[in-house]
Amino acid sequence: MRNKTSRSARRSGRRGPLASIVLIALGLAATGGAYVAFSSVSATASIDLSSPAVIDEGSKLFAANCATCHGMQAQGTANGPSLIGVGSAAVDFQVGTGRMPMQAQGPQALKKPVQFTAEQTSALAAYVSSLAPGPSIPTQTQLENGNVSNGGELFRINCAMCHNVAGAGGALTEGKFAPVLKGVAAVHVYEAMLTGPQNMPVFNDLNLTPDEKKDIIAYLAYNEANPSPGGLELGSLGPVSEGLFLWIFGLGSIVALTVWITAKSN
Amino acid sequence: MAKNESGPADIVPASGHERSTDVVLGTAVVSPDAFPDPGLPPHRLRVVDTDPKAAKKAERVVYALFYLSIVGSVFAVFAYMFFALDPNDLNSVRLNNLYIGLGITLSLLAIGIAAVHWGKAVMADHESVDERHPTRGSEETRARAIEIFKEADAESGFSRRSLIRNGLIASLVAFPLPAIALFRGLAPMDVDPNNELKHTMWEKGLRLTRDPSGLPIKASDLTIGSAFQVIPEGLADLPPHERLDAKAKAAVILVRMKPEELNWTSAERESWSYQGIVAYSKICTHVGCPVALYEQQTHHLLCPCHQSQFDLENECKVIFGPAARPLPQLPITVDSEGYLVAARGFDQPVGPSFWERLN
């Protein structure tokens, strides 16, 4: 049967059933590979943000998902700020970390599972950046090979007061907080500095130069790659969690020891 | 007093009349149904007293713990020697500390546990009674003590020779004075501390520069929502010790807001800002922590130490927390090249209150 088919395939110039399996496998591998490349590098690596087709796609997504609060022309409403001039970096940060679309009005938009695919996020970014010029998404080379020690000094001066010296985050006023920086993609850290999302101040390129931003990212990456050798960081929160731990377990074991010392041996 | 020997036969309900023969009736309240003395519980043998195997085992545990302590001490020494510090690897320092600490912990803890276990399980175990003696001395002893004081006073002339006695008291009072003078010497040399607390490096025409690089800042460098951590021009070039001293007073936070969001109490205060750019001392007026937690949308500055909040829209007045005064504002303007400069120094001392601060 198979022989017959392959013979007839050769004769007719058509593909046999095995060939289609191979083709499907190739297609899957290519899609998967492309997806991996896509998600690991940057959402914009292969998408041209200035192409009219992408912008058009983005404007449709915007009208369906964002316009309720931000207005049909992204001009802003009582429920959400104007997005004119915020640039693609702000969109990639807010949508790419799941903060937008916002679930509910509150002290602060919370990080949650990302609602859009990388392509959709890029399309939205393309649309918003087509409205007016603004900070754009950094390229991969802007995120690599920073100076850790300089980054540490800059981080302690500009960031550590809110985000904690180990990047463990901290409380602000009235329910707001500075989020944990562990596990945040370098591109999102860069975009956050550039655009100042929510209550974070803006650190534009004249305040922290692109090289300095790179250094800060390198410092965060170094911190993440070198955890506490004792294994128990207690959230890196410093005296609060460490003091609580000692009160409970340190004093607890002292009480247990005194009970043991004074108990009669059996 | 009844002896504390065990056995229920000895336990007599203590009634007030039997016990207090020397107390005049009516001066002491003695309960007629006082709690009976329960005596000691019967002696209970330990496992190590009955089972020679267990006794042997307890002995082994004790000396094994002492040897384990030696292992811990030696381990700490080896950890110090062999987990070498690599200047390029911060983790090597942490590991070094960790292992030294574990070694010392083991050595001390094992000694402690072994000693307690020794006392509890290996040493002889029997109850004994130590009678408590009355603390009051006999009448003769007390009378003699008073006599001795009187004799000593008469022989030394402590009461009689008042010049000597007063001299002794005065010399003892004078003795700690040099310590006070020496402590005064810990204050800064050749400067008036009061003046030091009242003045910072800031003065007219000094440029605002970035911390830590010391690069000057142009007004156009600030976009709405920007926050710069600022030091005065020249601070970055000071030697390290002086730099920290100066920075502890002169640190400033510089932000740009929309001019219409700023409310001013006077036109003069308004002139201290430049096109929505304002500079405030970063030193909290409560106890001097750096107030740099700036919220871009609410324009609040939060002090991380005691949660004082300052409102940048209203001249940094306190809206929450223990701080007593607004943060002092640094009057700023621009020079001919567009760089931000101080129009003058702070109009009041920065930071927390001190004795000589007048308000």
Side-chain angles (χ1 to χ4, degrees):
Chain A
M1 170 77 189
R2 201 163 59 203
N3 281 345
K4 186 171 175 271
T5 321
S6 57
R7 246 183 280 123
S8 65
R10 234 178 276 131
R11 267 202 309 275
S12 64
R14 287 201 183 134
R15 290 184 296 267
L18 267 181
S20 24
I21 292 171
V22 169
L23 254 183
I24 289 171
L26 271 178
L28 282 174
T31 321
Y35 179 77
V36 168
F38 218 61
S39 47
S40 66
V41 183
S42 156
T44 53
S46 52
I47 289 190
D48 178 13
L49 291 190
S50 57
S51 106
V54 175
I55 292 171
D56 190 46
E57 161 85 13
S59 89
K60 283 177 194 149
L61 280 167
F62 187 90
N65 296 286
C66 320
T68 324
C69 299
H70 291 292
M72 282 308 285
Q73 271 74 46
Q75 78 279 21
T77 70
N79 293 324
S82 159
L83 298 184
I84 293 164
V86 300
S88 58
V91 179
D92 189 55
F93 174 83
Q94 301 280 5
V95 179
T97 59
R99 284 178 168 83
M100 292 288 152
M102 203 174 173
Q103 209 158 32
Q105 294 282 1
Q108 176 163 326
L110 300 174
K111 200 172 170 176
K112 57 180 189 300
V114 181
Q115 310 283 301
F116 294 98
T117 64
E119 293 94 329
Q120 289 170 327
T121 308
S122 304
L124 279 170
Y127 168 69
V128 171
S129 63
S130 74
L131 300 171
S136 54
I137 302 172
T139 60
Q140 190 62 21
T141 49
Q142 281 176 282
L143 308 171
E144 287 167 346
N145 303 324
N147 175 340
V148 174
S149 117
N150 189 38
E153 185 169 17
L154 291 167
F155 187 87
R156 286 190 289 277
I157 287 171
N158 292 289
C159 322
M161 54 281 215
C162 297
H163 285 288
N164 166 312
V165 71
L172 293 171
T173 69
E174 291 161 8
K176 299 183 283 289
F177 63 92
V180 184
L181 299 181
K182 281 177 184 156
V184 179
V187 64
H188 292 145
V189 176
Y190 194 102
E191 287 161 354
M193 287 189 269
L194 199 58
T195 61
Q198 304 185 31
N199 266 300
M200 176 166 162
V202 178
F203 295 94
N204 60 36
D205 286 349
L206 296 162
N207 188 357
L208 294 173
T209 64
D211 276 348
E212 289 175 332
K213 288 193 175 76
K214 195 189 277 187
D215 295 348
I216 287 174
I217 287 169
Y219 169 74
L220 288 172
Y222 176 86
N223 245 357
E224 219 169 315
N226 292 279
S228 172
L232 203 55
E233 292 179 330
L234 303 173
S236 299
L237 292 179
V240 174
S241 56
E242 285 160 21
L244 191 67
F245 183 87
L246 269 188
W247 265 96
I248 294 171
F249 294 97
L251 285 184
S253 54
I254 287 175
V255 168
L257 269 176
T258 51
V259 167
W260 173 66
I261 288 172
T262 51
K264 205 168 152 52
S265 181
N266 59 357
Chain B
M1 269 201 156
K3 295 250 177 204
N4 248 354
E5 268 134 22
S6 55
D10 287 349
I11 297 172
V12 194
S15 84
H17 298 293
E18 280 169 357
R19 290 212 161 205
S20 53
T21 46
D22 55 343
V23 175
V24 181
L25 278 175
T27 56
V29 181
V30 183
S31 164
D33 55 343
F35 211 86
D37 180 356
L40 289 172
H43 181 69
R44 186 172 57 83
L45 290 175
R46 299 169 300 179
V47 181
V48 287
D49 297 328
T50 52
D51 182 2
K53 260 190 183 166
K56 202 78 201 151
K57 190 183 159 206
E59 195 187 332
R60 277 201 301 271
V61 168
V62 171
Y63 69 69
L65 278 167
F66 281 126
Y67 289 126
L68 193 63
S69 162
I70 298 174
V71 172
S73 304
V74 173
F75 178 79
V77 174
F78 275 89
Y80 179 71
M81 282 157 54
F82 294 118
F83 285 93
L85 303 183
D86 176 0
N88 295 319
D89 183 10
L90 199 63
N91 262 348
S92 70
V93 182
R94 292 166 162 184
L95 275 179
N96 184 285
N97 286 349
L98 177 72
Y99 288 125
I100 294 173
L102 284 177
I104 295 173
T105 306
L106 184 65
S107 78
L108 267 179
L109 205 60
I111 291 179
I113 293 175
V116 173
H117 194 52
W118 185 5
K120 286 176 61 170
V122 180
M123 288 185 189
D125 174 48
H126 48 78
E127 290 86 17
S128 63
V129 175
D130 288 344
E131 286 293 340
R132 193 182 286 171
H133 302 289
T135 46
R136 188 188 159 104
S138 66
E139 287 306 319
E140 305 90 81
T141 320
R142 293 163 68 87
R144 177 71 191 127
I146 295 171
E147 232 172 83
I148 290 172
F149 265 96
K150 283 184 175 157
E151 269 172 37
D153 183 35
E155 286 174 10
S156 66
F158 192 78
S159 303
R160 197 160 36 89
R161 300 195 172 100
S162 60
L163 275 177
I164 293 184
R165 182 194 59 210
N166 294 348
L168 171 69
I169 293 172
S171 65
L172 287 177
V173 168
F175 169 71
L177 291 180
I180 296 174
L182 289 175
F183 281 133
R184 175 60 185 79
L186 293 177
M189 284 275 286
D190 305 328
V191 288
D192 173 14
N194 192 16
N195 190 46
E196 286 291 288
L197 285 169
K198 279 184 176 162
H199 295 102
T200 68
M201 255 180 92
W202 289 107
E203 56 182 36
K204 185 175 163 45
L206 215 56
R207 276 181 179 164
L208 280 73
T209 62
R210 289 172 175 80
D211 184 12
S213 63
L215 296 170
I217 303 165
K218 279 192 167 156
S220 56
D221 292 350
L222 280 90
T223 45
I224 301 275
S226 280
F228 280 61
Q229 312 298 327
V230 171
I231 50 176
E233 181 181 5
L235 187 141
D237 306 324
L238 292 176
H241 188 76
E242 285 174 44
R243 184 165 68 219
L244 285 180
D245 277 355
K247 189 175 174 181
K249 292 186 292 174
V252 156
I253 185 164
L254 182 73
V255 303
R256 182 167 208 160
M257 293 158 55
K258 292 177 183 145
E260 63 268 21
E261 286 172 335
L262 292 160
N263 305 312
W264 301 104
T265 51
S266 67
E268 195 214 342
R269 273 305 284 264
E270 188 171 1
S271 73
W272 290 4
S273 68
Y274 180 78
Q275 294 183 358
I277 303 175
V278 287
Y280 282 94
S281 164
K282 221 160 81 173
I283 315 302
C284 187
T285 53
H286 175 223
V287 284
C289 291
V291 188
L293 284 77
Y294 171 53
E295 294 180 358
Q296 193 222 127
Q297 306 287 339
T298 58
H299 306 126
H300 293 171
L301 273 172
L302 170 67
C303 179
C305 294
H306 305 99
Q307 280 69 49
S308 291
Q309 285 172 37
F310 302 89
D311 187 3
L312 275 165
E313 287 176 21
N314 293 297
E315 301 180 348
C316 261
K317 75 171 189 203
V318 185
I319 49 173
F320 184 84
R325 291 182 301 276
L327 293 172
Q329 186 179 2
L330 181 71
I332 52 168
T333 182
V334 289
D335 64 10
S336 54
E337 294 170 64
Y339 288 108
L340 289 166
V341 294
R344 45 174 279 200
F346 286 107
D347 68 328
Q348 54 178 308
V350 299
S353 303
F354 50 95
W355 202 284
E356 291 85 354
R357 198 182 196 281
L358 286 176
N359 56 358

